[in-house]
Amino acid sequence: MASLLSGQCAASLIRVRGAALGIRTRRYSGRDEASEYLDRSVVPSMHYQKSLPRLPIPKLEDTVRRYLAAQRPLLDDDQFRTTEKLAQDFQTGVGKQLQEELAARDKSNKCTSYISGPWFDMYLSARDSVVLNFNPFMSFNPDPKPEYNEQLVRATNMVCSAVRFMKTLRAGLLAPEVFHLNPAKSDTDGFKNLIRWVPSRLSWYGAYMVNAYPLDMSQYFRLFNSTRIPKRGRDELFTDEKGRHLLVMRKGHMYVLDVVDRDGNLVEPAEIQSHLKYILSDSTPAAVFPLGVLTGEDRDVWAGLRDKLTAAGNAEELRLVDGALFCLCLDDETMTDHIHVSHNMLHGDGCNRWYDKSFSIVLTKDGQAAINFEHSWGDGVAVLRFQNEIFKDTTERPLVNPGSAAAAVNSAAAVRRLHFNLDSELENGIKTAKENFDSAVSKLTIDAMQFKKGGKEQLKKSKLSPDAVAQLAFQMGFLRQYGQTVATYESCSTAAFKHGRTETIRPASVHTKRCSHAFVQQPGKHSVEQLKAMLNECSKYHGQLTREAAMGQGFDRHLFALRYLATSEGQAVHGLYTDPAYTAINHNILSTSTLTSPAVNLGGFAPVVPDGFGVGYGVHDDWIGCNVSSYPARDVHEFLQCVHKSLEDIFSVLEGKALG
């Protein structure tokens, strides 16, 4: 999961919060061409792409300084001295040479960023299952009109809106993704009509002049017709934009149907509804050997089984799966509560998913919907934009309604259920994959918490960063529960730069440690004013870290790229990288990511280490929500109680009450 962030901003946290997007559309009416698109932006979608600034390589001395600052709260004095010595030796020795080489390579590859290649490589070379380890989910809010949440109606509307989004994007009519610091000046028809005439190689500068920051959209083309293909050692990304069909999964079976006609138009919504109704009414029993479970396997195991599938005569069926626009998973289950929703959307039972598709829309029997996405091709930027647009379009301009009659068409001819030839080895592979899957997901616990005594508005009145306070509550909560300060990761997008990916904010600092100890272990020793001063210090420092990260001035990606360069050249890695402290700071016990959007109800992901927490959270106007996962090594229920208590204490102090 990644927040949407912009750059070049010195005043405030610059996290784009997935704001609702103003979109001009017309209703579908026969073959009215305008109805084929969600938007008709006067500024072409990729107008700013050529002139986006390049992701800067930080100065080595800045990276070492930031690295040591992040290590300080995690180490005792002796450990810190060792780490400091290693870091300084790296800075003056081998690190200096690697930095020069990284800069030279970057200079000769101006069409991309220094992190893009290594980051793709990291994701695609990982051999762990993508389930739990990489794929996150973001669930949709329900349609405000309850009758539109019926599974068939919602599925049809989401498919139609998704096709319209795809067509709008490919026609260059989707408005560019821009972070507006002064929307009254830059998010206007006047400015758009002016900037459209500025050549692409200069357009970014025109936006910058009015405090608007275009974001990288290079990942968007992988949204549709894309799949991660398992290969031994390193997977590949496959995209085939010629595909006009949708992949639908139900009861472990796979179906394909065209949702775009030969002329490139959206198939009539009533026909799509008819085809989906046909699939939902298929009485075929659940698949005995559901192929989808293989996509949750170890990547090398899956690669070997996929080769066997191809050899057994299934190449054409696999091509249809890989080239499908996206995957629609129709589940027969009804959700009992939001915890059930999180488990179902994050992993489900493994049978009714194709986790390798760039994204899947999952729809349960009671109309709960979510996106589960494969993470190697991109970050949350493109997916969240897609989700916001789809939610807005389906709720404001649905193309079918509860009273709509499905078209009287021959769905049996239009819908094809895929049949695969399976030998005993493949059947055993599927059986083993299902056992491995069940074993892995059985260890995962998810719990959620809502703090309703305050949120963004009150914190801003107190001149505190809402994100800083949420992160501080996690530090306090962990300290209260386990008596420690541990490695903490907060995702931050660097989409303000060409081919930017993410950077890490390191929320655990000497300031949060001091403040957490004061609140948790010495509540009576400090006055309200002293505690407020500590909160202010934490907020200020977190704001600085966030701005630096969004500007590509963190230390994590830089150190990663330098190590990648050394190993790719066969060099021995420096002692900085073999230092136990480096291993520990990259063993992120608290892995966190924030998301608030009018379209999104919940977001979540599994912990990134066996003894960690996966913390999805959102700070809303008057409440704060957390959706947290853990494995048996940690107690997620108690952690959330400790976080809630921490937030109570923080808000009490802000109200002028002393801690007892």
Side-chain angles (χ1 to χ4, degrees):
M1 296 275 283
S3 310
L4 300 178
L5 299 160
S6 179
Q8 305 264 346
C9 164
S12 62
L13 294 185
I14 43 186
R15 189 152 302 134
V16 176
R17 299 290 186 181
L21 302 148
I23 303 163
R24 300 178 301 285
T25 72
R26 298 182 205 170
R27 265 195 82 74
Y28 196 94
S29 53
R31 281 286 167 238
D32 171 13
E33 197 194 326
S35 66
E36 295 284 320
Y37 303 105
L38 284 184
D39 193 5
R40 282 191 165 278
S41 172
V42 295
V43 184
S45 307
M46 299 297 166
H47 189 54
Y48 298 108
Q49 199 63 31
K50 273 186 188 169
S51 57
L52 281 173
R54 301 196 62 225
L55 182 69
I57 298 175
K59 291 178 181 170
L60 188 57
E61 57 268 31
D62 289 343
T63 286
V64 167
R65 174 177 51 77
R66 289 172 182 136
Y67 171 65
L68 291 173
Q71 285 284 20
R72 184 63 275 203
L74 308 178
L75 304 174
D76 64 28
D77 289 349
D78 287 344
Q79 290 168 329
F80 183 73
R81 270 194 292 274
T82 303
T83 296
E84 188 176 39
K85 190 172 180 303
L86 285 166
Q88 286 166 350
D89 181 67
F90 179 73
Q91 184 183 326
T92 54
V94 71
K96 200 174 175 183
Q97 296 157 10
L98 288 169
Q99 175 79 348
E100 284 169 11
E101 193 170 336
L102 185 67
R105 286 193 178 197
D106 186 55
K107 204 173 177 183
S108 62
N109 282 287
K110 290 188 173 168
C111 59
T112 187
S113 70
Y114 78 89
I115 199 61
S116 184
W119 210 239
F120 272 119
D121 217 25
M122 180 270 295
Y123 269 122
L124 293 171
S125 301
R127 299 293 84 194
D128 296 326
S129 165
V130 295
V131 183
L132 302 187
N133 297 302
F134 296 104
N135 285 31
F137 83 91
M138 297 188 288
S139 69
F140 285 90
N141 273 317
D143 192 303
K145 304 177 292 298
E147 65 275 20
Y148 280 82
N149 291 311
E150 192 271 323
Q151 188 181 25
L152 176 60
V153 172
R154 200 169 200 201
T156 308
N157 280 320
M158 285 197 166
V159 168
C160 292
S161 290
V163 172
R164 279 150 51 82
F165 180 97
M166 179 270 290
K167 283 177 58 71
T168 309
L169 172 66
R170 289 183 180 167
L173 296 171
L174 186 72
E177 188 75 26
V178 179
F179 181 61
H180 299 276
L181 274 177
N182 186 359
K185 222 172 172 182
S186 57
D187 198 12
T188 64
D189 288 342
F191 176 73
K192 288 170 190 170
N193 280 314
L194 178 67
I195 199 73
R196 66 189 284 207
W197 298 110
V198 176
S200 283
R201 68 182 188 280
L202 301 171
S203 54
W204 181 88
Y205 300 95
Y208 176 69
M209 300 291 282
V210 290
N211 242 351
Y213 299 91
L215 303 183
D216 180 76
M217 292 177 73
S218 63
Q219 296 171 7
Y220 279 58
F221 85 100
R222 293 269 190 210
L223 263 171
F224 298 98
N225 302 101
S226 294
T227 300
R228 176 174 173 161
I229 309 284
K231 298 280 183 183
R232 282 189 180 85
R234 185 185 189 275
D235 293 352
E236 290 172 5
L237 292 174
F238 170 86
T239 303
D240 178 11
E241 294 191 357
K242 294 191 293 292
R244 296 185 282 113
H245 60 284
L246 173 70
L247 172 67
V248 182
M249 298 190 72
R250 180 167 174 260
K251 295 198 288 191
H253 297 294
M254 286 184 259
Y255 307 80
V256 290
L257 60 133
D258 283 356
V259 288
V260 176
D261 68 20
R262 284 198 176 87
D263 299 322
N265 297 315
L266 171 67
V267 168
E268 288 285 350
E271 286 186 34
I272 293 172
Q273 184 179 11
S274 177
H275 301 333
L276 295 179
K277 187 178 181 180
Y278 173 79
I279 293 169
L280 283 167
S281 58
D282 185 349
S283 59
T284 309
V288 180
F289 295 104
L291 213 64
V293 77
L294 293 178
T295 63
E297 253 294 11
D298 168 276
R299 301 307 292 178
D300 281 338
V301 172
W302 171 207
L305 289 168
R306 187 181 162 110
D307 287 346
K308 290 187 171 66
L309 270 169
T310 304
N314 299 296
E316 191 211 336
E317 286 77 8
L318 287 170
R319 259 198 308 276
L320 285 168
V321 170
D322 299 337
L325 279 166
F326 62 94
C327 181
L328 172 68
C329 305
L330 297 172
D331 289 352
D332 281 2
E333 244 184 315
T334 295
M335 299 294 99
T336 51
D337 57 23
H338 56 273
I339 304 299
H340 190 188
V341 169
S342 288
H343 278 288
N344 191 62
M345 303 312 190
L346 183 61
H347 55 79
D349 69 359
C351 302
N352 206 44
R353 303 284 183 274
W354 197 266
Y355 299 105
D356 289 353
K357 284 304 283 179
S358 54
F359 75 90
S360 298
I361 294 179
V362 182
L363 255 160
T364 62
K365 198 174 182 68
D366 54 332
Q368 301 264 12
I371 290 176
N372 179 296
F373 69 96
E374 197 281 310
H375 220 320
S376 66
W377 64 271
D379 307 302
V381 181
V383 181
L384 186 60
R385 171 74 182 273
F386 170 73
Q387 189 157 3
N388 285 330
E389 300 273 16
I390 295 316
F391 183 73
K392 188 173 177 66
D393 196 51
T394 56
T395 54
E396 294 181 7
R397 289 165 291 274
L399 295 185
V400 301
N401 58 59
S404 299
V409 291
N410 184 2
S411 289
V415 176
R416 176 179 166 192
R417 180 150 67 90
L418 300 181
H419 294 276
F420 292 86
N421 302 318
L422 303 176
D423 58 21
S424 58
E425 193 178 358
L426 285 165
E427 288 178 352
N428 286 332
I430 291 169
K431 206 172 139 210
T432 304
K434 177 65 173 145
E435 287 164 6
N436 292 341
F437 180 93
D438 289 344
S439 170
V441 301
S442 69
K443 297 181 178 76
L444 187 78
T445 305
I446 299 176
D447 199 5
M449 177 274 287
Q450 286 189 351
F451 176 80
K452 294 186 171 174
K453 296 178 185 175
K456 198 186 295 178
E457 285 179 359
Q458 196 177 334
L459 293 171
K460 284 189 169 174
K461 277 180 195 161
S462 302
K463 295 192 167 62
L464 293 177
S465 148
D467 191 60
V469 169
Q471 287 288 346
L472 178 60
F474 304 146
Q475 295 298 315
M476 284 185 191
F478 197 90
L479 183 71
R480 188 180 298 278
Q481 187 177 7
Y482 295 106
Q484 286 176 286
T485 295
V486 291
T488 308
Y489 177 109
E490 179 180 358
S491 178
C492 168
S493 170
T494 49
F497 300 96
K498 186 179 289 186
H499 293 194
R501 292 291 306 237
T502 59
E503 183 51 270
T504 308
I505 301 167
R506 292 290 183 173
S509 67
V510 291
H511 307 290
T512 61
K513 190 174 185 178
R514 188 183 307 128
C515 188
S516 298
H517 276 268
F519 271 74
V520 174
Q521 295 175 341
Q522 312 157 327
K525 285 191 181 174
H526 301 86
S527 69
V528 169
E529 290 313 309
Q530 285 172 321
L531 293 172
K532 277 186 181 175
M534 286 186 207
L535 291 174
N536 193 46
E537 194 58 44
C538 290
S539 175
K540 234 167 61 185
Y541 189 67
H542 188 77
Q544 179 192 325
L545 291 179
T546 303
R547 286 190 295 277
E548 286 175 353
M551 292 297 296
Q553 295 293 329
F555 67 83
D556 281 86
R557 299 298 175 270
H558 187 200
L559 287 179
F560 174 85
L562 293 170
R563 180 183 189 167
Y564 180 88
L565 183 58
T567 53
S568 68
E569 293 185 339
Q571 295 180 27
V573 295
H574 184 270
L576 176 139
Y577 294 109
T578 54
D579 179 12
Y582 183 81
T583 305
I585 203 171
N586 286 293
H587 184 89
N588 290 298
I589 289 170
L590 286 169
S591 180
T592 74
S593 187
T594 185
L595 188 70
T596 54
S597 154
V600 178
N601 183 20
L602 278 173
F605 50 95
V608 296
V609 292
D611 57 338
F613 289 114
V615 183
Y617 67 100
V619 185
H620 304 267
D621 286 345
D622 54 4
W623 63 283
I624 297 169
C626 300
N627 198 33
V628 184
S629 62
S630 75
Y631 293 118
R634 299 287 179 193
D635 184 339
V636 69
H637 311 297
E638 190 187 336
F639 176 68
L640 282 172
Q641 288 168 6
C642 292
V643 170
H644 196 277
K645 165 75 172 135
S646 302
L647 288 167
E648 282 181 350
D649 288 352
I650 292 167
F651 277 83
S652 290
V653 165
L654 294 179
E655 287 161 13
K657 297 173 192 164
L659 295 179

